[in-house]
Amino acid sequence: MSPRQSPSDTGRLAHFITIDGLKRDTLVRILDTADTFQTASDRQVRKFPTLRGKTIVNLFFENSTRTLTTFELAATRLSADVVNLKLDHSSTQKGETLLDTLRTLEAMHCDLFIVRHSDSGAAHFIASHVGDEVSVLNAGDGQHAHPTQAMLDCYTIRRHRPDLENLRVLIVGDILHSRVARSQIMALNTLGVRSLSVLAPPTLLPSAIHALGVDVADNLDEAVVDKDVIIMLRVQYERMREVHVPGPEEYRRQYGLTEERLARANPGCLVMHPGPINRQVEIDSSVADGPQSVILEQVGNGVAIRMAILSMMLSS
Ligand code: CP
């Protein structure tokens, strides 16, 4: 459990670093809170006073399109003041340490740091070094965790299929390097899906995968049969220090989601991907852009789910 992450008696989350250790009722409360924001947004109510007077800093030490933008939108729609620290133009470029950067921002009375970092454990480290009045939210750290992505994925599934307990879910791709997969596995298991399987090239499967509570499949043509949700993961070429996978064409042949493969899954099977996608590698364009794909819905739902989590961390 991360420092002070678990909800207090009032239900407030001090930090949000990982799904690990959070109870089912906390995850359900996040999903239900997101529903209220989504419903209001659908009625053209786009702005809420919930976090008026609060200051949120986006501290992204690693690139992002979806997460950064949806956090900025979520915080703005909750009426918080938002600062996107441009780290490539900040004093970290002059050698300032991470801790000195944190102390500097804390001196400005910021309430919450949203942190993305290429090092696993970075958000936990920051949460361990800030004062009690500052909250830390993990927006993706190395290969460890991406808890808000997992929650928006669960939210997207629940909006289509509220009967989570009946669903058979398959996660396919680069599990080894995927902070998203780790967080999804914890969230989906905590919420109680019927079955959860993973499939990856042997070199991209963590050795302790069974300890995460999943079945391991080895043939995609067979694994897709009877699935209600298929989550494809990006091949993370940038995290590979040696060659772990066949070339893109061979990868697609063995592990890519094609129309033919999707046709073997249950009717209406949801196709998901956290993005960014490698088209014609882990997923064909005709599937990514097809009628069963909810990939762009995932992005849009990121706003409501992040509004929910921010409000549960900062509203008193
Ligand atoms: N899914 C995700 O984290 O995307 P970004 O890297 O664009 O934020």
Side-chain angles (χ1 to χ4, degrees):
M1 179 69 70
S2 296
R4 298 185 293 118
Q5 171 169 288
S6 57
S8 66
D9 292 344
T10 60
R12 182 177 166 263
L13 288 165
H15 299 296
F16 195 70
I17 309 291
T18 170
I19 301 291
D20 196 11
L22 293 179
K23 294 196 164 56
R24 184 176 181 280
D25 62 351
T26 302
L27 302 193
V28 170
R29 200 154 55 86
I30 291 170
L31 301 180
D32 290 347
T33 307
D35 255 342
T36 62
F37 286 124
Q38 186 80 46
T39 306
S41 298
D42 290 347
R43 292 190 193 126
Q44 303 300 312
V45 181
R46 290 269 161 79
K47 198 102 173 174
F48 303 81
T50 319
L51 299 186
R52 191 179 290 150
K54 302 288 186 186
T55 302
I56 294 176
V57 182
N58 278 317
L59 268 176
F60 277 57
F61 297 87
E62 191 191 80
N63 293 343
S64 168
T65 299
R66 295 151 197 78
T67 313
L68 176 61
T69 312
T70 52
F71 265 121
E72 185 170 0
L73 274 175
T76 306
R77 288 185 186 171
L78 291 170
S79 306
D81 296 316
V82 187
V83 177
N84 292 323
L85 189 66
K86 294 184 175 53
L87 286 158
D88 49 347
H89 291 87
S90 76
S91 291
T92 55
Q93 300 299 320
K94 300 178 201 163
E96 185 171 71
T97 67
L98 177 57
L99 283 181
D100 281 335
T101 302
L102 287 176
R103 299 275 175 267
T104 303
L105 293 169
E106 278 190 279
M108 300 175 202
H109 304 292
C110 300
D111 298 290
L112 186 143
F113 296 142
I114 300 174
V115 180
R116 169 166 288 195
H117 203 289
S118 56
D119 289 346
S120 300
H124 183 279
F125 175 83
I126 291 172
S128 306
H129 285 84
V130 293
D132 284 348
E133 66 288 354
V134 180
S135 294
V136 176
L137 190 156
N138 184 5
D141 63 326
Q143 296 169 207
H144 169 235
H146 195 349
T148 60
Q149 178 72 46
M151 291 313 300
L152 76 87
D153 294 336
C154 293
Y155 181 66
T156 303
I157 294 171
R158 197 180 78 159
R159 277 172 71 84
H160 287 268
R161 293 291 305 267
D163 57 333
L164 292 178
E165 67 284 359
N166 293 326
L167 300 186
R168 293 185 167 96
V169 181
L170 173 67
I171 304 175
V172 184
D174 183 357
I175 309 281
L176 181 67
H177 296 103
S178 180
R179 56 195 178 206
V180 174
R182 277 175 192 71
S183 295
Q184 285 170 337
I185 289 168
M186 287 175 192
L188 289 165
N189 274 336
T190 303
L191 288 168
V193 294
R194 178 168 178 176
S195 78
L196 184 54
S197 313
V198 299
L199 189 148
T203 50
L204 295 180
L205 199 61
S207 53
I209 186 69
H210 288 286
L212 294 176
V214 291
D215 301 320
V216 178
D218 58 12
N219 178 303
L220 187 53
D221 291 311
E222 293 168 11
V224 294
V225 173
D226 82 8
K227 294 300 179 291
D228 303 294
V229 179
I230 300 175
I231 303 174
M232 302 305 295
L233 298 174
R234 186 170 67 90
V235 184
Q236 300 194 34
Y237 292 109
E238 76 278 13
R239 292 194 200 277
M240 295 178 195
R241 293 195 176 81
E242 56 211 64
V243 177
H244 286 283
V245 286
E249 283 175 24
E250 181 59 15
Y251 187 94
R252 174 181 177 271
R253 197 182 68 73
Q254 287 192 57
Y255 304 106
L257 190 59
T258 60
E259 284 187 79
E260 295 72 31
R261 283 191 169 125
L262 180 57
R264 296 166 66 86
N266 279 347
C269 173
L270 299 178
V271 173
M272 305 181 70
H273 193 306
I277 62 178
N278 295 309
R279 289 175 181 268
Q280 306 304 124
V281 183
E282 72 262 5
I283 188 166
D284 279 10
S285 285
S286 58
V287 176
D289 304 330
Q292 287 169 251
S293 169
V294 292
I295 293 172
L296 290 179
E297 253 183 82
Q298 288 172 261
V299 178
N301 288 338
V303 179
I305 212 79
R306 289 173 172 129
M307 288 172 80
I309 294 167
L310 291 176
S311 71
M312 287 170 64
M313 294 179 76
L314 286 184
S315 60
S316 34

